[in-house]
Each structure stands twice: as structure tokens, then as C-alpha cells.
């Protein structure tokens, strides 16, 4: 099966080449969907071998949000499997074979990787532990764990939901409603930069509030506004 890797970006010139080179190869198509970068993200992504999608040039078209980026990228992709990857996340060697092995089971609708932080401080180790606990108990991996799913499953749920926040959990819910969610032991190594830039405790609390809001069906426009999205 061909895998389409969709990478949403916004001013990721320092990371996009590494992201593309990490996954590009035989049987893998890489699509970078830019949200309106003001740096060299698009040029560097093309040079690294990715197909790049950008917002239309109309004057009334604002920057694309992440859910819209994921949706556009998946619609333009051609693989039987779609994998959503953050620009600051790197997959371990053998990731493609691991995905294909999981999907060799017809009951498997999609899955995610094990979260691992590039930074190895005490806070990052503590956070990775509790993420593993959450995933084990609730079966709710986040987008930074490189979600993947069959195209048929994505199309069956109407594509990536056009929501302002928590689209990754909507995707997980769609996978679980269709079939088995595979949790791969291979790591998706991501950056804890958001926690360091915005404050560790503050960011952690906002994430828990967003999870609670998603679970209870709160208005996401208001929730996203309060989180500064």
C-alpha cells in the first residue's frame, strides 16, 4: 500500500527539511500543506522533495488552520493510507513497515506511534509517562503521535473535520468507530517546544481543559479563542 504523509506547516523553515527527509522514500508520498508561512518553509519543502500546497492568493483568504491543512492535504493525496505528521516530529526507522504490518489486519482501521520527546528533562519524561497512561486507559493518542488511517476510513467519516481545535481526537474517534486502533511501539519523537515557550504548567492545564471540552462537547470556537488558536 502507498502511504501519503501530510505535514501541516507555518513558519517551519528550521524543521521542514528534516521532517520531509525523515519519511520520504519508495512507496511514500509527502505533501506539505502550508498555512501561510512568511519564511522559506515552502521553498525548502519543495527542494526536499515534497509536494507543497498553499492557501489561495485571493485577498479575502486568510491563513489556513491546521484542520483545514490536514483536510486539504488528505484530499490531494493518492495513497491508500494517510499519515498526519507534525513538522517537529520524527519517526523511527522502520516506521513504514510497522504501519503496513498493523494494517495487514483487516480489522485495523488506523493507529498511532508511541510518544517520545526529543528533550530529555525531568518534565518531559514525566509528561511522556502520563501520556502513555492516558493512551493505555482511554485509547486517545494525540496528533503529535503521528496518526495514520486507511483512506477508506477517512472518506467514510467525511474527511478531516473542519473544526478549530481537537481535530486529532475526532480522527481517533472515527478510527475507533470503524475498527481497531493500533498503538505501535515505535516512537514518534517530537519537540516539547510548545511547553517551553508558553509555560509548562499553563500549557499542560490548557491541554487538559481542551480534552475535557472535547469529551463534553463544548463549543470549540470559544475554546479555541480562549486558548489563543
Amino acid at each position: 500500500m502507498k502511504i501519503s504523509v501530510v505535514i501541516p506547516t507555518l513558519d517551519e523553515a528550521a524543521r521542514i527539511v528534516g521532517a520531509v527527509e525523515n519519511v520520504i522514500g519508495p512507496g511514500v508520498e509527502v505533501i506539505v500543506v502550508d498555512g501561510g508561512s512568511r519564511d522559506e518553509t515552502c521553498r525548502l519543502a519543495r527542494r526536499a522533495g515534497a509536494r507543497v500546497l498553499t492557501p489561495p492568493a485571493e485577498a479575502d483568504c486568510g491563513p489556513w488552520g491546521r484542520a483545514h491543512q490536514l483536510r486539504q492535504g488528505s484530499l490531494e493525496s493518492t495513497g491508500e493510507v494517510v499519515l498526519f505528521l507534525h513538522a517537529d516530529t520524527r519517526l523511527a526507522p522502520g516506521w513504514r513497515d510497522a504501519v503496513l504490518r498493523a494494517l495487514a489486519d483487516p480489522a485495523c482501521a488506523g493507529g498511532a506511534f508511541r510518544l517520545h520527546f526529543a528533550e530529555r528533562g525531568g518534565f518531559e519524561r514525566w509528561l511522556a509517562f502520563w501520556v502513555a497512561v492516558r493512551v493505555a486507559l482511554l485509547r486517545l493518542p494525540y496528533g503529535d503521535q503521528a496518526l495514520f488511517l486507511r483512506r477508506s476510513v477517512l472518506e467514510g467519516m467525511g474527511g478531516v473535520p473542519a473544526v478549530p481545535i481537537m481535530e486529532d481526537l475526532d480522527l481517533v474517534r472515527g478510527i475507533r468507530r470503524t475498527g481497531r486502533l493500533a498503538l505501535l511501539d515505535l516512537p514518534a519523537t517530537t519537540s516539547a517546544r510548545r511547553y517551553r515557550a508558553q509555560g509548562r504548567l499553563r500549557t499542560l492545564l490548557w491541554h487538559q481543559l481542551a480534552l475535557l471540552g472535547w469529551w463534553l462537547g463544548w463549543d470549540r470556537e470559544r475554546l479555541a479563542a480562549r486558548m489563543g488558536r
Side-chain angles (χ1 to χ4, degrees):
M1 290 187 287
K2 180 180 179 181
I3 301 177
S4 296
V5 178
V6 177
I7 307 176
T9 58
L10 181 64
D11 296 330
E12 294 286 4
R15 301 171 183 86
I16 191 56
V17 172
V20 173
E21 292 180 345
N22 174 237
V23 292
I24 200 167
V28 179
E29 127 181 284
V30 181
I31 299 179
V32 169
V33 190
D34 192 67
S37 293
R38 294 161 294 181
D39 62 10
E40 293 292 293
T41 296
C42 295
R43 183 183 66 82
L44 293 173
R46 290 189 185 96
R47 192 170 70 179
R51 180 184 175 191
V52 177
L53 305 178
T54 57
E58 290 86 349
D60 60 349
C61 177
W64 279 352
R66 187 166 64 188
H68 191 73
Q69 291 173 269
L70 300 183
R71 185 176 182 88
Q72 288 299 118
S74 63
L75 289 173
E76 293 284 341
S77 65
T78 61
E80 295 92 340
V81 180
V82 181
L83 184 149
F84 299 111
L85 184 72
H86 290 186
D88 59 0
T89 299
R90 303 291 180 267
L91 301 181
W95 69 269
R96 179 178 179 273
D97 290 340
V99 168
L100 296 181
R101 280 195 301 269
L103 294 176
D105 176 6
C108 180
F113 292 76
R114 174 172 54 85
L115 182 69
H116 179 84
F117 284 109
E119 301 84 357
R120 299 304 295 159
F123 172 79
E124 287 79 15
R125 290 194 296 271
W126 174 85
L127 182 57
F129 170 78
W130 284 110
V131 167
V133 170
R134 184 199 72 224
V135 171
L137 294 179
L138 302 179
R139 310 290 287 184
L140 282 177
Y142 282 0
D144 51 11
Q145 291 177 247
L147 301 176
F148 62 89
L149 70 170
R150 299 180 190 272
R151 175 173 300 281
S152 58
V153 172
L154 186 59
E155 291 176 347
M157 60 185 291
V160 178
V163 292
I165 196 171
M166 307 302 281
E167 73 287 334
D168 49 355
L169 293 187
D170 289 338
L171 289 169
V172 171
R173 181 163 54 191
I175 292 171
R176 292 173 54 186
R177 285 177 174 172
T178 308
R180 182 172 65 85
L181 173 74
L183 299 174
L184 306 185
D185 190 51
L186 279 181
T189 301
T190 193
S191 171
R193 56 178 173 156
R194 291 173 297 169
Y195 292 93
R196 298 191 172 199
Q198 301 171 9
R200 292 171 175 172
L201 181 59
R202 178 178 181 274
T203 303
L204 183 60
L205 290 175
W206 274 118
H207 283 181
Q208 299 314 304
L209 178 63
L211 175 59
L212 178 63
W214 174 83
W215 196 281
L216 297 177
W218 292 354
D219 184 284
R220 295 202 210 179
E221 292 284 356
R222 295 179 62 183
L223 186 59
R226 294 192 65 179
M227 294 182 67
R229 298 290 182 87

